[in-house]
Amino acid sequence: MKNKGLMTTVIVILLFLGATLVYQLGMSRGNDQAATTATTSEKADKTVGILQYVSHEALDAITNGIKEGLKESGYTEGDNLTIEFQNGQADQSKLATMSQQLLNKNADVLVGVATPAAQALANVTQDVPIVLGAVTDPVGANLVADMDEPGGNITGVSDKAPVAAQIKLATELMPDAKSVGILYSSTEDNSKYQVAEAEAAAQDNGLTTKKYAVPSSNEIAQTVQVMAQEVDFIYIPLDNTIANAMQTVVGEANKTKTPIITSVDTMVEQGGLATVGQDQFTIGVETGKMVAAILDGTSEPATTSIYTFSDGETIINEEQAAFLGITIPDSIKADATMVNSDDATTSSSAE
């Protein structure tokens, strides 16, 4: 009987300990869930307004990168983040209207993808934080007072390209080239800034230069036809108007097998010969992370330096080089990223 009583006591104790353990585990899970909920609530109800200047592969990649940078920082669209997106399609009047619309959405942070979009946002508010997504010359565009100490409600990421390295690469790929034509839009401040750099770099490398400014996309095809007869290769700075018409540029240049050196990776993939620069998606990711820091309250535009990239990657369109009859030196090929044209560009190349 004593053994039976002892056994009963042991069973009761074990049941009690088991129930206690289950209770503690439940409390622990509850606390974990509460902590997760608290973390989510800290990042909840945030709205980011994105104004993109125009649709083309480079700017689209930047916008996608912004979303990824926000996600990596704990802000996911549809969960704890609302993104209000507008695309001006290169229409200045639309940019102004859309900027006001985004401001009226009570966005916590506004993002301008490309210089004209950022300028439009800056015109409607000096209070709401604005982050620049790919603005080549923020000071020259009158968006910030200083690259290190912006001083107002604007900071962001510069996509300033290593122009000198791009021209140098061109001379290495085309050692017999004597002249370069610079194709750019006369209406974009960011392009004009780089044209001067390209002229200086070309002179340093023994090249003569000729500038070809187009007021709109309607003149691009005819301008490229003229360039192909007058220069050995074409150089395109960071320019949204030209980027938006890249297939037209490639189609006309390929008729005379005139090489194109670009400033962004996406334009190489579309039929440009080569560039030295940053991946556009990466530029967007850095922009998104900067937006998240402002949303978190860990940084303020006035004291946050403009983010600039210290180096660039060599990107070469191997298929286009073969089409142009250009042999890529092994010394360059060893360290370069090799890409090919997309199907649409390949078709135009064959015409």
Side-chain angles (χ1 to χ4, degrees):
M1 293 294 293
K2 288 182 178 180
N3 290 339
K4 186 175 181 181
L6 179 62
M7 185 178 296
T8 300
T9 302
V10 170
I11 291 172
V12 170
I13 292 172
L14 289 175
L15 288 172
F16 174 77
L17 291 174
T20 302
L21 179 60
V22 169
Y23 174 77
Q24 290 177 338
L25 287 173
M27 288 295 292
S28 176
R29 289 176 181 174
N31 289 336
D32 289 343
Q33 290 174 350
T36 301
T37 302
T39 301
T40 301
S41 66
E42 288 174 5
K43 292 180 178 291
D45 301 322
K46 298 298 184 181
T47 299
V48 172
I50 300 177
L51 179 61
Q52 183 173 317
Y53 174 55
V54 68
S55 292
H56 60 67
E57 289 192 20
L59 296 190
D60 292 344
I62 291 169
T63 294
N64 289 332
I66 291 169
K67 295 177 181 179
E68 177 61 27
L70 282 162
K71 185 177 181 181
E72 291 178 8
S73 303
Y75 291 98
T76 302
E77 188 176 8
D79 181 10
N80 57 0
L81 175 68
T82 297
I83 292 181
E84 299 288 349
F85 177 79
Q86 297 278 9
N87 191 323
Q89 297 299 0
D91 187 321
Q92 200 64 45
S93 63
K94 285 184 179 179
L95 289 174
T97 301
M98 290 174 176
S99 295
Q100 189 61 53
Q101 289 173 345
L102 290 175
L103 185 65
N104 293 342
K105 294 287 186 179
N106 295 320
D108 297 286
V109 177
L110 297 169
V111 184
V113 181
T115 302
Q119 290 172 324
L121 290 172
N123 287 335
V124 298
T125 180
Q126 294 181 346
D127 300 314
V128 178
I130 297 174
V131 175
L132 311 175
V135 171
T136 307
D137 182 18
V139 176
N142 296 316
L143 290 165
V144 300
D146 184 83
M147 295 288 281
D148 294 325
E149 294 285 340
N153 65 318
I154 302 175
T155 187
V157 177
S158 170
D159 62 348
K160 185 179 183 303
V163 176
Q166 292 167 351
I167 298 297
K168 181 82 163 63
L169 175 64
T171 62
E172 292 172 343
L173 292 173
M174 299 169 283
D176 295 330
K178 304 297 182 185
S179 60
V180 53
I182 305 172
L183 178 64
Y184 67 103
S185 168
S186 59
T187 62
E188 294 191 37
D189 293 336
N190 53 299
S191 302
K192 299 172 188 176
Y193 170 75
Q194 296 166 89
V195 168
E197 278 194 286
E199 287 184 295
Q203 184 177 2
D204 290 343
N205 284 275
L207 297 168
T208 59
T209 62
K210 188 169 182 180
K211 297 183 292 184
Y212 299 81
V214 293
S216 71
S217 58
N218 296 329
E219 288 77 21
I220 291 176
Q222 184 177 357
T223 300
V224 175
Q225 292 170 13
V226 173
M227 296 178 75
Q229 303 300 321
E230 298 179 345
V231 298
D232 293 321
F233 70 93
I234 295 170
Y235 173 73
I236 302 174
L238 292 166
D239 188 295
N240 294 291
T241 301
I242 307 303
N244 198 34
M246 186 59 182
Q247 289 191 351
T248 297
V249 176
V250 172
E252 293 299 330
N254 279 350
K255 292 176 181 177
T256 54
K257 292 192 175 183
T258 303
I260 304 169
I261 298 296
T262 77
S263 291
V264 297
D265 58 318
T266 53
M267 293 171 76
V268 174
E269 294 168 3
Q270 289 177 285
L273 172 60
T275 192
V276 179
Q278 288 296 328
D279 172 77
Q280 300 299 286
F281 185 79
T282 300
I283 292 174
V285 170
E286 291 299 331
T287 304
K289 290 179 179 179
M290 188 172 286
V291 173
I294 294 173
L295 292 174
D296 289 339
T298 57
S299 70
E300 295 181 359
T303 56
T304 301
S305 299
I306 299 296
Y307 188 98
T308 56
F309 293 88
S310 59
D311 55 8
E313 179 183 9
T314 298
I315 303 165
I316 299 174
N317 189 321
E318 192 170 23
E319 181 182 50
Q320 188 69 3
F323 169 76
L324 296 169
I326 293 174
T327 301
I328 305 168
D330 291 337
S331 58
I332 295 176
K333 195 171 184 178
D335 297 323
T337 296
M338 311 301 291
V339 301
N340 287 316
S341 301
D342 57 31
D343 293 338
T345 303
T346 301
S347 297
S348 67
S349 299
E351 292 178 358

